[in-house]
Amino acid sequence: MRANCSSSSACPANTSEEELPVGLEVHGNLELVFTVVSTVMMGLLMFSLGCSVEFRKLWSHIRRPWGIAVGLLCQFGLMPFTAYLLAISFSLKPVQAIAVLIMGCCPGGTISNIFTFWVDGDMDLSISMTTCSTVAALGMMPLCIYLYTWSWSLQQNLTIPYQNIGITLGCLTVPVAFGVYVNYRWPKQSKIILKIGAVVGGLLLLVVTVAGVVLAKGSWNSDITLLTISFIFPLIGHITGFLLALFTHQSWQRCRTISLETGAQNIQMCITMLQLSFTAEHLVKMLSFPLAYGLFQLIHGFLIVAAYQTYKRRLKNKHGKKNSDCIEVGHTRKSTSSKETSAFLEVNEEGAVTPGPLEPVDCHRALESIDHITSCE
């Protein structure tokens, strides 16, 4: 296969002579409205997530980009290689194998930033990785596709969606930059914006998922092999990303972040590249994979978030129980000390009837009782 990185009209899919099948027809104004609204909402969401980014920490990641380097290695090293192995292992048809490989070569998606926030990950690293992988995709996507397809006997030109990469980069960096500025100038207000954005982000994911499935319902097919790959591919990305981050001695917070960044791919970029590079006849066999991948990566992400929040809640309850036990023990010790002090005072009152010098032993016991009271937890 030859990877042609130009946007020439020589590609069959760039011509308008062939009519799209019913399942791939453009739904007119409805699809346009959905695209515009989802883009605007995603921009607002990235603005709210940018309010959690501190410029000092962001700059530290850029100065010492160890976490970013590990993330890029996962993104353009592990994911394309995994896609190639899956395509070979399942003996996919050529057009289906290309769809899987293109998905593996795409940069990280913004959905990973939302999940990273929900699992208390490193937001500075997450946004840095998403931005850097999108910039690196300008060169790494055609390179990876060429390296993994040069031995294949396909003669289909591929069009790298540079315009889509630029739009993604703009929709990511501009809102985040405004969010960083708001967090710098108004830190209290930025926390409120961040909480609202987290809730809106969850609703946006559900809306985009349902609307995307409805608008592209005609492009689904019942290929069990592609559905199986779309289910295990994100899982492999999450697991291998976490293990590689752990192997390179990253913190637990960074391990969670790199894991989510690795498994979450830019679905829209993959779909755009397929539409620019292949005919409508081929698209019917290919588009079901990125749609299913997007659906399963959402499911995996929600499961990871649910598991982490459950673990966090149990850990919090465990610490709360320990603190309550400590407080109860402290009250018990305090009441016991009070009784001992009262008994000691009564003895002193009885001894005060016959005046005389206080023995050293009595002074020592008095000091012990007072020390016992002051050192009670």
Side-chain angles (χ1 to χ4, degrees), residues 246-267:
L246 191 63
F247 179 76
T248 55
H249 304 288
Q250 301 294 318
S251 64
W252 288 108
Q253 187 184 34
R254 289 189 175 188
C255 288
R256 296 194 299 269
T257 303
I258 294 174
S259 172
L260 289 170
E261 286 286 335
T262 304
Q265 299 292 85
N266 194 321
I267 307 299

Side-chain angles (χ1 to χ4, degrees), residues 330 333-338 340-341 365-377:
R333 290 179 178 177
K334 186 176 180 180
S335 60
T336 305
S337 301
S338 300
E340 293 177 356
T341 305
R365 290 178 180 175
L367 291 175
E368 283 184 350
S369 299
I370 295 173
D371 290 339
H372 183 68
I373 296 172
T374 56
S375 63
C376 181
E377 296 181 0

Side-chain angles (χ1 to χ4, degrees), residues 92-93 96 221-228 285 288:
L92 295 179
K93 298 177 182 178
Q96 295 176 338
N221 58 48
S222 57
D223 194 327
I224 302 300
T225 303
L226 280 182
L227 290 177
T228 303
K285 303 176 182 179
S288 61

Side-chain angles (χ1 to χ4, degrees), residues 9-312:
S9 60
C11 295
N14 291 337
T15 61
S16 58
E17 297 177 358
E18 186 174 359
E19 295 293 333
L20 293 174
V22 177
L24 300 175
E25 288 181 353
V26 179
H27 294 267
N29 295 330
L30 179 60
E31 184 173 357
L32 178 62
V33 170
F34 168 72
T35 302
V36 173
V37 171
S38 62
T39 301
V40 173
M41 292 295 292
M42 187 60 67
L44 294 175
L45 176 61
M46 295 311 299
F47 165 73
S48 64
L49 293 178
C51 291
S52 67
V53 177
E54 296 181 12
F55 182 77
R56 178 178 56 83
K57 295 182 180 179
L58 186 64
W59 179 247
S60 67
H61 284 300
I62 297 175
R63 288 184 59 189
R64 297 180 179 180
W66 304 117
I68 297 176
V70 174
L72 290 178
L73 179 60
C74 295
Q75 198 69 60
F76 297 108
L78 290 178
M79 292 300 284
F81 182 66
T82 302
Y84 180 79
L85 290 181
L86 289 173
I88 298 299
S89 301
F90 284 86
S91 301
L92 295 179
K93 298 177 182 178
V95 290
Q96 295 176 338
I98 290 301
V100 175
L101 184 61
I102 290 176
M103 177 62 70
C105 296
C106 284
T110 54
I111 186 178
S112 60
N113 307 129
I114 305 173
F115 288 139
T116 299
F117 174 77
W118 286 340
V119 298
D120 299 328
D122 191 336
M123 288 300 301
D124 306 277
L125 177 61
S126 178
I127 293 177
S128 300
M129 284 180 57
T130 304
T131 304
C132 291
S133 66
T134 304
V135 174
L138 296 171
M140 292 304 297
M141 277 189 71
L143 177 61
C144 291
I145 291 174
Y146 174 78
L147 291 177
Y148 286 103
T149 60
W150 69 274
S151 61
W152 293 358
S153 59
L154 293 177
Q155 296 296 324
Q156 176 67 45
N157 293 325
L158 294 179
T159 302
I160 305 298
Y162 288 115
Q163 183 178 3
N164 185 271
I165 295 176
I167 293 174
T168 302
L169 193 60
C171 293
L172 175 65
T173 56
V174 175
V176 169
F178 278 107
V180 173
Y181 177 76
V182 170
N183 188 27
Y184 175 75
R185 290 294 302 272
W186 304 283
K188 293 183 179 180
Q189 288 78 359
S190 65
K191 293 181 180 179
I192 299 175
I193 296 174
L194 182 60
K195 292 180 179 179
I196 296 175
V199 177
V200 173
L203 297 177
L204 177 62
L205 289 179
L206 295 177
V207 171
V208 169
T209 302
V210 174
V213 171
V214 171
L215 291 176
K217 59 182 179 180
S219 62
W220 290 88
N221 58 48
S222 57
D223 194 327
I224 302 300
T225 303
L226 280 182
L227 290 177
T228 303
I229 295 177
S230 63
F231 176 78
I232 64 176
F233 196 2
L235 277 180
I236 295 176
H238 292 313
I239 295 172
T240 55
F242 185 87
L243 292 178
L244 183 60
L246 191 63
F247 179 76
T248 55
H249 304 288
Q250 301 294 318
S251 64
W252 288 108
Q253 187 184 34
R254 289 189 175 188
C255 288
R256 296 194 299 269
T257 303
I258 294 174
S259 172
L260 289 170
E261 286 286 335
T262 304
Q265 299 292 85
N266 194 321
I267 307 299
Q268 184 61 41
M269 192 173 297
C270 178
I271 294 176
T272 301
M273 187 171 179
L274 293 177
Q275 291 176 338
L276 291 175
S277 304
F278 292 92
T279 61
E281 180 182 358
H282 290 154
L283 287 177
V284 175
K285 303 176 182 179
M286 303 171 73
L287 275 185
S288 61
F289 175 74
L291 293 174
Y293 187 99
L295 178 62
F296 284 124
Q297 81 173 4
L298 277 175
I299 294 175
H300 296 332
F302 280 121
L303 290 177
I304 291 173
V305 171
Y308 174 78
Q309 292 296 334
T310 302
Y311 168 77
K312 181 180 176 181

